mmCIF file of all heavy atoms in Angstrom:
data_model
loop_
_atom_site.group_PDB
_atom_site.id
_atom_site.type_symbol
_atom_site.label_atom_id
_atom_site.label_comp_id
_atom_site.label_asym_id
_atom_site.label_seq_id
_atom_site.Cartn_x
_atom_site.Cartn_y
_atom_site.Cartn_z
ATOM 1 N N ASN A 1417 28.796 -28.578 19.577
ATOM 2 C CA ASN A 1417 30.207 -28.108 19.261
ATOM 3 C C ASN A 1417 30.150 -27.082 18.271
ATOM 4 O O ASN A 1417 29.506 -27.230 17.148
ATOM 5 C CB ASN A 1417 30.869 -29.378 18.749
ATOM 6 C CG ASN A 1417 31.059 -30.488 19.738
ATOM 7 O OD1 ASN A 1417 31.465 -30.272 20.901
ATOM 8 N ND2 ASN A 1417 30.687 -31.749 19.324
ATOM 9 N N VAL A 1418 30.949 -25.999 18.561
ATOM 10 C CA VAL A 1418 30.907 -24.862 17.603
ATOM 11 C C VAL A 1418 32.361 -24.501 17.189
ATOM 12 O O VAL A 1418 33.225 -24.506 18.044
ATOM 13 C CB VAL A 1418 30.184 -23.633 18.237
ATOM 14 C CG1 VAL A 1418 30.398 -22.321 17.339
ATOM 15 C CG2 VAL A 1418 28.733 -23.880 18.635
ATOM 16 N N ILE A 1419 32.580 -24.203 15.924
ATOM 17 C CA ILE A 1419 33.849 -23.685 15.544
ATOM 18 C C ILE A 1419 33.576 -22.362 14.783
ATOM 19 O O ILE A 1419 32.764 -22.304 13.787
ATOM 20 C CB ILE A 1419 34.654 -24.631 14.583
ATOM 21 C CG1 ILE A 1419 34.804 -26.001 15.196
ATOM 22 C CG2 ILE A 1419 35.902 -23.922 14.172
ATOM 23 C CD1 ILE A 1419 35.485 -27.033 14.199
ATOM 24 N N ILE A 1420 34.180 -21.274 15.282
ATOM 25 C CA ILE A 1420 34.080 -20.027 14.551
ATOM 26 C C ILE A 1420 35.279 -19.993 13.654
ATOM 27 O O ILE A 1420 36.409 -20.230 13.830
ATOM 28 C CB ILE A 1420 34.379 -18.827 15.527
ATOM 29 C CG1 ILE A 1420 33.338 -18.769 16.709
ATOM 30 C CG2 ILE A 1420 34.362 -17.449 14.854
ATOM 31 C CD1 ILE A 1420 33.691 -17.766 17.814
ATOM 32 N N ILE A 1421 34.883 -19.543 12.306
ATOM 33 C CA ILE A 1421 35.989 -19.481 11.250
ATOM 34 C C ILE A 1421 36.050 -18.056 10.899
ATOM 35 O O ILE A 1421 35.090 -17.426 10.416
ATOM 36 C CB ILE A 1421 35.617 -20.354 10.093
ATOM 37 C CG1 ILE A 1421 35.498 -21.871 10.553
ATOM 38 C CG2 ILE A 1421 36.735 -20.234 8.945
ATOM 39 C CD1 ILE A 1421 35.730 -23.008 9.585
ATOM 40 N N GLU A 1422 37.265 -17.518 11.120
ATOM 41 C CA GLU A 1422 37.492 -16.086 10.878
ATOM 42 C C GLU A 1422 38.712 -15.882 9.988
ATOM 43 O O GLU A 1422 39.570 -16.752 9.930
ATOM 44 C CB GLU A 1422 37.697 -15.390 12.201
ATOM 45 C CG GLU A 1422 38.165 -14.022 12.298
ATOM 46 C CD GLU A 1422 37.159 -12.993 11.692
ATOM 47 O OE1 GLU A 1422 36.752 -13.181 10.626
ATOM 48 O OE2 GLU A 1422 37.023 -11.865 12.235
ATOM 49 N N ASP A 1423 38.773 -14.669 9.289
ATOM 50 C CA ASP A 1423 39.916 -14.514 8.365
ATOM 51 C C ASP A 1423 41.210 -14.207 9.054
ATOM 52 O O ASP A 1423 42.293 -14.853 8.787
ATOM 53 C CB ASP A 1423 39.547 -13.316 7.345
ATOM 54 C CG ASP A 1423 39.145 -12.061 8.047
ATOM 55 O OD1 ASP A 1423 39.063 -11.992 9.242
ATOM 56 O OD2 ASP A 1423 38.809 -11.065 7.308
ATOM 57 N N ILE A 1424 41.145 -13.322 10.090
ATOM 58 C CA ILE A 1424 42.398 -12.810 10.673
ATOM 59 C C ILE A 1424 42.293 -12.428 12.168
ATOM 60 O O ILE A 1424 41.252 -11.820 12.522
ATOM 61 C CB ILE A 1424 43.065 -11.630 9.755
ATOM 62 C CG1 ILE A 1424 44.436 -11.297 10.278
ATOM 63 C CG2 ILE A 1424 42.134 -10.424 9.727
ATOM 64 C CD1 ILE A 1424 45.242 -10.473 9.285
ATOM 65 N N LEU A 1425 43.208 -12.900 12.943
ATOM 66 C CA LEU A 1425 43.316 -12.482 14.306
ATOM 67 C C LEU A 1425 44.404 -11.352 14.393
ATOM 68 O O LEU A 1425 45.504 -11.600 14.165
ATOM 69 C CB LEU A 1425 43.689 -13.678 15.116
ATOM 70 C CG LEU A 1425 43.818 -13.618 16.626
ATOM 71 C CD1 LEU A 1425 42.517 -13.123 17.291
ATOM 72 C CD2 LEU A 1425 44.227 -14.982 17.287
ATOM 73 N N ASP A 1426 43.908 -10.138 14.574
ATOM 74 C CA ASP A 1426 44.804 -9.045 14.625
ATOM 75 C C ASP A 1426 44.948 -8.593 16.104
ATOM 76 O O ASP A 1426 45.746 -9.167 16.914
ATOM 77 C CB ASP A 1426 44.245 -7.957 13.734
ATOM 78 C CG ASP A 1426 45.270 -6.733 13.357
ATOM 79 O OD1 ASP A 1426 46.292 -6.570 14.284
ATOM 80 O OD2 ASP A 1426 45.139 -6.196 12.344
ATOM 81 N N THR A 1427 44.290 -7.565 16.573
ATOM 82 C CA THR A 1427 44.397 -7.232 17.942
ATOM 83 C C THR A 1427 43.581 -8.167 18.792
ATOM 84 O O THR A 1427 43.866 -8.223 19.995
ATOM 85 C CB THR A 1427 43.763 -5.781 18.246
ATOM 86 O OG1 THR A 1427 42.331 -5.878 18.030
ATOM 87 C CG2 THR A 1427 44.342 -4.759 17.375
ATOM 88 N N GLY A 1428 42.739 -8.895 18.204
ATOM 89 C CA GLY A 1428 41.892 -9.907 18.958
ATOM 90 C C GLY A 1428 40.545 -9.366 19.438
ATOM 91 O O GLY A 1428 39.716 -10.116 19.922
ATOM 92 N N LYS A 1429 40.260 -8.080 19.396
ATOM 93 C CA LYS A 1429 39.053 -7.459 19.832
ATOM 94 C C LYS A 1429 37.720 -8.097 19.211
ATOM 95 O O LYS A 1429 36.810 -8.389 19.897
ATOM 96 C CB LYS A 1429 38.928 -5.961 19.557
ATOM 97 C CG LYS A 1429 39.901 -5.221 20.542
ATOM 98 C CD LYS A 1429 39.560 -3.766 20.481
ATOM 99 C CE LYS A 1429 40.848 -2.952 19.991
ATOM 100 N NZ LYS A 1429 40.581 -1.584 19.768
#
Side-chain angles (χ1 to χ4, degrees):
N1417 295 310
V1418 175
I1419 304 176
I1420 302 172
I1421 302 199
E1422 170 64 314
D1423 53 2
I1424 186 165
L1425 182 57
D1426 193 336
T1427 66
K1429 282 192 246 173

